[in-house]
PDB file of all heavy atoms in Angstrom:
ATOM      1  N   TYR A 122     127.153  72.942  35.938  1.00 96.00           N
ATOM      2  CA  TYR A 122     125.945  73.029  36.763  1.00 96.00           C
ATOM      3  C   TYR A 122     125.121  71.750  36.665  1.00 96.00           C
ATOM      4  O   TYR A 122     124.686  71.209  37.683  1.00 96.00           O
ATOM      5  CB  TYR A 122     125.106  74.238  36.329  1.00 96.00           C
ATOM      6  CG  TYR A 122     123.755  74.288  36.981  1.00 96.00           C
ATOM      7  CD1 TYR A 122     123.622  74.717  38.299  1.00 96.00           C
ATOM      8  CD2 TYR A 122     122.614  73.883  36.293  1.00 96.00           C
ATOM      9  CE1 TYR A 122     122.377  74.740  38.910  1.00 96.00           C
ATOM     10  CE2 TYR A 122     121.378  73.899  36.897  1.00 96.00           C
ATOM     11  CZ  TYR A 122     121.258  74.331  38.206  1.00 96.00           C
ATOM     12  OH  TYR A 122     120.031  74.349  38.803  1.00 96.00           O
ATOM     13  N   GLN A 123     124.914  71.287  35.433  1.00 96.00           N
ATOM     14  CA  GLN A 123     124.116  70.067  35.261  1.00 96.00           C
ATOM     15  C   GLN A 123     124.795  68.856  35.896  1.00 96.00           C
ATOM     16  O   GLN A 123     124.132  67.984  36.470  1.00 96.00           O
ATOM     17  CB  GLN A 123     123.870  69.805  33.773  1.00 96.00           C
ATOM     18  CG  GLN A 123     122.923  70.792  33.143  1.00 96.00           C
ATOM     19  CD  GLN A 123     122.834  70.636  31.638  1.00 96.00           C
ATOM     20  OE1 GLN A 123     123.714  70.080  30.998  1.00 96.00           O
ATOM     21  NE2 GLN A 123     121.752  71.155  31.065  1.00 96.00           N
ATOM     22  N   GLY A 124     126.114  68.791  35.806  1.00 96.00           N
ATOM     23  CA  GLY A 124     126.847  67.684  36.412  1.00 96.00           C
ATOM     24  C   GLY A 124     126.719  67.680  37.924  1.00 96.00           C
ATOM     25  O   GLY A 124     126.455  66.622  38.532  1.00 96.00           O
ATOM     26  N   ILE A 125     126.877  68.835  38.540  1.00 96.00           N
ATOM     27  CA  ILE A 125     126.729  68.932  39.987  1.00 96.00           C
ATOM     28  C   ILE A 125     125.297  68.603  40.402  1.00 96.00           C
ATOM     29  O   ILE A 125     125.057  67.899  41.394  1.00 96.00           O
ATOM     30  CB  ILE A 125     127.121  70.338  40.482  1.00 96.00           C
ATOM     31  CG1 ILE A 125     128.591  70.628  40.199  1.00 96.00           C
ATOM     32  CG2 ILE A 125     126.810  70.520  41.964  1.00 96.00           C
ATOM     33  CD1 ILE A 125     129.571  69.813  40.991  1.00 96.00           C
ATOM     34  N   LEU A 126     124.329  69.100  39.625  1.00 96.00           N
ATOM     35  CA  LEU A 126     122.922  68.823  39.923  1.00 96.00           C
ATOM     36  C   LEU A 126     122.632  67.327  39.865  1.00 96.00           C
ATOM     37  O   LEU A 126     121.944  66.778  40.736  1.00 96.00           O
ATOM     38  CB  LEU A 126     122.023  69.580  38.940  1.00 96.00           C
ATOM     39  CG  LEU A 126     120.522  69.449  39.162  1.00 96.00           C
ATOM     40  CD1 LEU A 126     120.124  70.036  40.510  1.00 96.00           C
ATOM     41  CD2 LEU A 126     119.771  70.127  38.029  1.00 96.00           C
ATOM     42  N   ARG A 127     123.175  66.643  38.848  1.00 96.00           N
ATOM     43  CA  ARG A 127     122.956  65.193  38.728  1.00 96.00           C
ATOM     44  C   ARG A 127     123.593  64.454  39.908  1.00 96.00           C
ATOM     45  O   ARG A 127     123.034  63.484  40.412  1.00 96.00           O
ATOM     46  CB  ARG A 127     123.533  64.643  37.421  1.00 96.00           C
ATOM     47  CG  ARG A 127     122.922  65.158  36.147  1.00 96.00           C
ATOM     48  CD  ARG A 127     121.441  64.906  36.044  1.00 96.00           C
ATOM     49  NE  ARG A 127     120.900  65.306  34.773  1.00 96.00           N
ATOM     50  CZ  ARG A 127     120.537  66.539  34.440  1.00 96.00           C
ATOM     51  NH1 ARG A 127     120.686  67.512  35.286  1.00 96.00           N
ATOM     52  NH2 ARG A 127     120.014  66.810  33.264  1.00 96.00           N
ATOM     53  N   LEU A 128     124.758  64.926  40.352  1.00 96.00           N
ATOM     54  CA  LEU A 128     125.397  64.292  41.504  1.00 96.00           C
ATOM     55  C   LEU A 128     124.556  64.472  42.765  1.00 96.00           C
ATOM     56  O   LEU A 128     124.405  63.547  43.564  1.00 96.00           O
ATOM     57  CB  LEU A 128     126.802  64.869  41.719  1.00 96.00           C
ATOM     58  CG  LEU A 128     127.861  64.486  40.690  1.00 96.00           C
ATOM     59  CD1 LEU A 128     129.160  65.220  40.973  1.00 96.00           C
ATOM     60  CD2 LEU A 128     128.086  62.993  40.667  1.00 96.00           C
ATOM     61  N   ILE A 129     124.019  65.677  42.939  1.00 95.00           N
ATOM     62  CA  ILE A 129     123.180  65.937  44.112  1.00 95.00           C
ATOM     63  C   ILE A 129     121.912  65.094  44.069  1.00 95.00           C
ATOM     64  O   ILE A 129     121.441  64.603  45.097  1.00 95.00           O
ATOM     65  CB  ILE A 129     122.845  67.439  44.202  1.00 95.00           C
ATOM     66  CG1 ILE A 129     124.109  68.225  44.537  1.00 95.00           C
ATOM     67  CG2 ILE A 129     121.767  67.719  45.228  1.00 95.00           C
ATOM     68  CD1 ILE A 129     123.962  69.722  44.443  1.00 95.00           C
ATOM     69  N   GLU A 130     121.363  64.927  42.863  1.00 95.00           N
ATOM     70  CA  GLU A 130     120.141  64.124  42.709  1.00 95.00           C
ATOM     71  C   GLU A 130     120.398  62.635  42.883  1.00 95.00           C
ATOM     72  O   GLU A 130     119.460  61.852  42.946  1.00 95.00           O
ATOM     73  CB  GLU A 130     119.521  64.373  41.329  1.00 95.00           C
ATOM     74  CG  GLU A 130     118.947  65.763  41.162  1.00 95.00           C
ATOM     75  CD  GLU A 130     118.499  66.051  39.750  1.00 95.00           C
ATOM     76  OE1 GLU A 130     118.915  65.302  38.814  1.00 95.00           O
ATOM     77  OE2 GLU A 130     117.751  67.015  39.561  1.00 95.00           O
ATOM     78  N   GLY A 131     121.644  62.230  42.935  1.00 93.00           N
ATOM     79  CA  GLY A 131     121.974  60.823  43.134  1.00 93.00           C
ATOM     80  C   GLY A 131     122.326  60.074  41.869  1.00 93.00           C
ATOM     81  O   GLY A 131     122.564  58.872  41.904  1.00 93.00           O
ATOM     82  N   ASN A 132     122.375  60.745  40.747  1.00 93.00           N
ATOM     83  CA  ASN A 132     122.713  60.105  39.478  1.00 93.00           C
ATOM     84  C   ASN A 132     124.211  60.308  39.220  1.00 93.00           C
ATOM     85  O   ASN A 132     124.614  61.183  38.465  1.00 93.00           O
ATOM     86  CB  ASN A 132     121.858  60.709  38.364  1.00 93.00           C
ATOM     87  CG  ASN A 132     121.962  59.938  37.077  1.00 93.00           C
ATOM     88  OD1 ASN A 132     122.822  59.085  36.925  1.00 93.00           O
ATOM     89  ND2 ASN A 132     121.079  60.248  36.143  1.00 93.00           N
ATOM     90  N   GLN A 133     125.023  59.490  39.881  1.00 94.00           N
ATOM     91  CA  GLN A 133     126.478  59.664  39.827  1.00 94.00           C
ATOM     92  C   GLN A 133     127.059  59.451  38.433  1.00 94.00           C
ATOM     93  O   GLN A 133     127.971  60.165  38.028  1.00 94.00           O
ATOM     94  CB  GLN A 133     127.174  58.713  40.819  1.00 94.00           C
ATOM     95  CG  GLN A 133     127.289  59.254  42.217  1.00 94.00           C
ATOM     96  CD  GLN A 133     125.983  59.287  42.964  1.00 94.00           C
ATOM     97  OE1 GLN A 133     125.077  58.523  42.664  1.00 94.00           O
ATOM     98  NE2 GLN A 133     125.881  60.165  43.938  1.00 94.00           N
ATOM     99  N   ALA A 134     126.566  58.485  37.701  1.00 95.00           N
ATOM    100  CA  ALA A 134     127.135  58.179  36.384  1.00 95.00           C
ATOM    101  C   ALA A 134     126.953  59.346  35.422  1.00 95.00           C
ATOM    102  O   ALA A 134     127.907  59.784  34.764  1.00 95.00           O
ATOM    103  CB  ALA A 134     126.492  56.919  35.811  1.00 95.00           C
ATOM    104  N   GLU A 135     125.739  59.865  35.342  1.00 96.00           N
ATOM    105  CA  GLU A 135     125.478  60.974  34.429  1.00 96.00           C
ATOM    106  C   GLU A 135     126.178  62.248  34.896  1.00 96.00           C
ATOM    107  O   GLU A 135     126.718  63.003  34.088  1.00 96.00           O
ATOM    108  CB  GLU A 135     123.973  61.215  34.308  1.00 96.00           C
ATOM    109  CG  GLU A 135     123.612  62.204  33.226  1.00 96.00           C
ATOM    110  CD  GLU A 135     122.114  62.398  33.086  1.00 96.00           C
ATOM    111  OE1 GLU A 135     121.339  61.638  33.698  1.00 96.00           O
ATOM    112  OE2 GLU A 135     121.737  63.327  32.345  1.00 96.00           O
ATOM    113  N   GLY A 136     126.179  62.496  36.211  1.00 95.00           N
ATOM    114  CA  GLY A 136     126.837  63.674  36.752  1.00 95.00           C
ATOM    115  C   GLY A 136     128.330  63.666  36.501  1.00 95.00           C
ATOM    116  O   GLY A 136     128.917  64.664  36.091  1.00 95.00           O
ATOM    117  N   THR A 137     128.948  62.517  36.709  1.00 96.00           N
ATOM    118  CA  THR A 137     130.388  62.390  36.464  1.00 96.00           C
ATOM    119  C   THR A 137     130.702  62.572  34.988  1.00 96.00           C
ATOM    120  O   THR A 137     131.677  63.238  34.633  1.00 96.00           O
ATOM    121  CB  THR A 137     130.886  61.018  36.955  1.00 96.00           C
ATOM    122  OG1 THR A 137     130.528  60.861  38.323  1.00 96.00           O
ATOM    123  CG2 THR A 137     132.381  60.895  36.804  1.00 96.00           C
ATOM    124  N   ALA A 138     129.875  62.014  34.122  1.00 96.00           N
ATOM    125  CA  ALA A 138     130.089  62.154  32.679  1.00 96.00           C
ATOM    126  C   ALA A 138     129.995  63.619  32.256  1.00 96.00           C
ATOM    127  O   ALA A 138     130.826  64.096  31.469  1.00 96.00           O
ATOM    128  CB  ALA A 138     129.073  61.322  31.904  1.00 96.00           C
ATOM    129  N   LEU A 139     129.018  64.328  32.774  1.00 96.00           N
ATOM    130  CA  LEU A 139     128.880  65.744  32.432  1.00 96.00           C
ATOM    131  C   LEU A 139     130.059  66.566  32.957  1.00 96.00           C
ATOM    132  O   LEU A 139     130.552  67.463  32.264  1.00 96.00           O
ATOM    133  CB  LEU A 139     127.564  66.298  32.987  1.00 96.00           C
ATOM    134  CG  LEU A 139     126.300  65.918  32.224  1.00 96.00           C
ATOM    135  CD1 LEU A 139     125.059  66.259  33.027  1.00 96.00           C
ATOM    136  CD2 LEU A 139     126.276  66.597  30.873  1.00 96.00           C
ATOM    137  N   LEU A 140     130.522  66.269  34.157  1.00 96.00           N
ATOM    138  CA  LEU A 140     131.662  67.011  34.707  1.00 96.00           C
ATOM    139  C   LEU A 140     132.944  66.725  33.934  1.00 96.00           C
ATOM    140  O   LEU A 140     133.741  67.638  33.689  1.00 96.00           O
ATOM    141  CB  LEU A 140     131.834  66.690  36.190  1.00 96.00           C
ATOM    142  CG  LEU A 140     130.760  67.279  37.102  1.00 96.00           C
ATOM    143  CD1 LEU A 140     130.932  66.782  38.521  1.00 96.00           C
ATOM    144  CD2 LEU A 140     130.792  68.794  37.059  1.00 96.00           C
ATOM    145  N   PHE A 141     133.131  65.474  33.524  1.00 96.00           N
ATOM    146  CA  PHE A 141     134.309  65.159  32.713  1.00 96.00           C
ATOM    147  C   PHE A 141     134.233  65.841  31.349  1.00 96.00           C
ATOM    148  O   PHE A 141     135.243  66.317  30.828  1.00 96.00           O
ATOM    149  CB  PHE A 141     134.497  63.648  32.555  1.00 96.00           C
ATOM    150  CG  PHE A 141     135.315  63.044  33.648  1.00 96.00           C
ATOM    151  CD1 PHE A 141     134.726  62.203  34.578  1.00 96.00           C
ATOM    152  CD2 PHE A 141     136.658  63.325  33.758  1.00 96.00           C
ATOM    153  CE1 PHE A 141     135.471  61.645  35.599  1.00 96.00           C
ATOM    154  CE2 PHE A 141     137.421  62.780  34.777  1.00 96.00           C
ATOM    155  CZ  PHE A 141     136.820  61.935  35.706  1.00 96.00           C
ATOM    156  N   GLU A 142     133.039  65.901  30.775  1.00 96.00           N
ATOM    157  CA  GLU A 142     132.889  66.599  29.501  1.00 96.00           C
ATOM    158  C   GLU A 142     133.215  68.083  29.658  1.00 96.00           C
ATOM    159  O   GLU A 142     133.873  68.672  28.803  1.00 96.00           O
ATOM    160  CB  GLU A 142     131.471  66.421  28.959  1.00 96.00           C
ATOM    161  CG  GLU A 142     131.290  66.993  27.572  1.00 96.00           C
ATOM    162  CD  GLU A 142     129.914  66.752  26.996  1.00 96.00           C
ATOM    163  OE1 GLU A 142     129.067  66.128  27.663  1.00 96.00           O
ATOM    164  OE2 GLU A 142     129.685  67.205  25.863  1.00 96.00           O
ATOM    165  N   ALA A 143     132.780  68.683  30.758  1.00 96.00           N
ATOM    166  CA  ALA A 143     133.096  70.091  31.024  1.00 96.00           C
ATOM    167  C   ALA A 143     134.602  70.294  31.171  1.00 96.00           C
ATOM    168  O   ALA A 143     135.156  71.269  30.648  1.00 96.00           O
ATOM    169  CB  ALA A 143     132.368  70.563  32.280  1.00 96.00           C
ATOM    170  N   ILE A 144     135.264  69.364  31.833  1.00 96.00           N
ATOM    171  CA  ILE A 144     136.721  69.453  31.989  1.00 96.00           C
ATOM    172  C   ILE A 144     137.403  69.331  30.628  1.00 96.00           C
ATOM    173  O   ILE A 144     138.331  70.093  30.319  1.00 96.00           O
ATOM    174  CB  ILE A 144     137.225  68.364  32.963  1.00 96.00           C
ATOM    175  CG1 ILE A 144     136.773  68.688  34.386  1.00 96.00           C
ATOM    176  CG2 ILE A 144     138.740  68.220  32.899  1.00 96.00           C
ATOM    177  CD1 ILE A 144     136.966  67.556  35.368  1.00 96.00           C
ATOM    178  N   PHE A 145     136.944  68.402  29.805  1.00 96.00           N
ATOM    179  CA  PHE A 145     137.538  68.225  28.476  1.00 96.00           C
ATOM    180  C   PHE A 145     137.313  69.458  27.597  1.00 96.00           C
ATOM    181  O   PHE A 145     138.192  69.836  26.817  1.00 96.00           O
ATOM    182  CB  PHE A 145     137.008  66.969  27.795  1.00 96.00           C
ATOM    183  CG  PHE A 145     137.469  65.692  28.439  1.00 96.00           C
ATOM    184  CD1 PHE A 145     136.619  64.604  28.528  1.00 96.00           C
ATOM    185  CD2 PHE A 145     138.743  65.576  28.959  1.00 96.00           C
ATOM    186  CE1 PHE A 145     137.030  63.426  29.124  1.00 96.00           C
ATOM    187  CE2 PHE A 145     139.166  64.408  29.557  1.00 96.00           C
ATOM    188  CZ  PHE A 145     138.303  63.323  29.646  1.00 96.00           C
ATOM    189  N   ILE A 146     136.150  70.086  27.708  1.00 95.00           N
ATOM    190  CA  ILE A 146     135.887  71.306  26.947  1.00 95.00           C
ATOM    191  C   ILE A 146     136.838  72.415  27.393  1.00 95.00           C
ATOM    192  O   ILE A 146     137.416  73.127  26.563  1.00 95.00           O
ATOM    193  CB  ILE A 146     134.416  71.741  27.092  1.00 95.00           C
ATOM    194  CG1 ILE A 146     133.507  70.758  26.355  1.00 95.00           C
ATOM    195  CG2 ILE A 146     134.209  73.159  26.558  1.00 95.00           C
ATOM    196  CD1 ILE A 146     132.030  70.961  26.625  1.00 95.00           C
ATOM    197  N   ALA A 147     137.013  72.561  28.693  1.00 94.00           N
ATOM    198  CA  ALA A 147     137.928  73.586  29.209  1.00 94.00           C
ATOM    199  C   ALA A 147     139.363  73.329  28.744  1.00 94.00           C
ATOM    200  O   ALA A 147     140.082  74.269  28.365  1.00 94.00           O
ATOM    201  CB  ALA A 147     137.850  73.634  30.734  1.00 94.00           C
TER     202      ALA A 147
END
């Protein structure tokens, strides 16, 4: 959720990092 929210807000670097972390956790 936080990763998608950061992407929508325009913060691609932080959003991508959060989404990759979520993928690694899964």
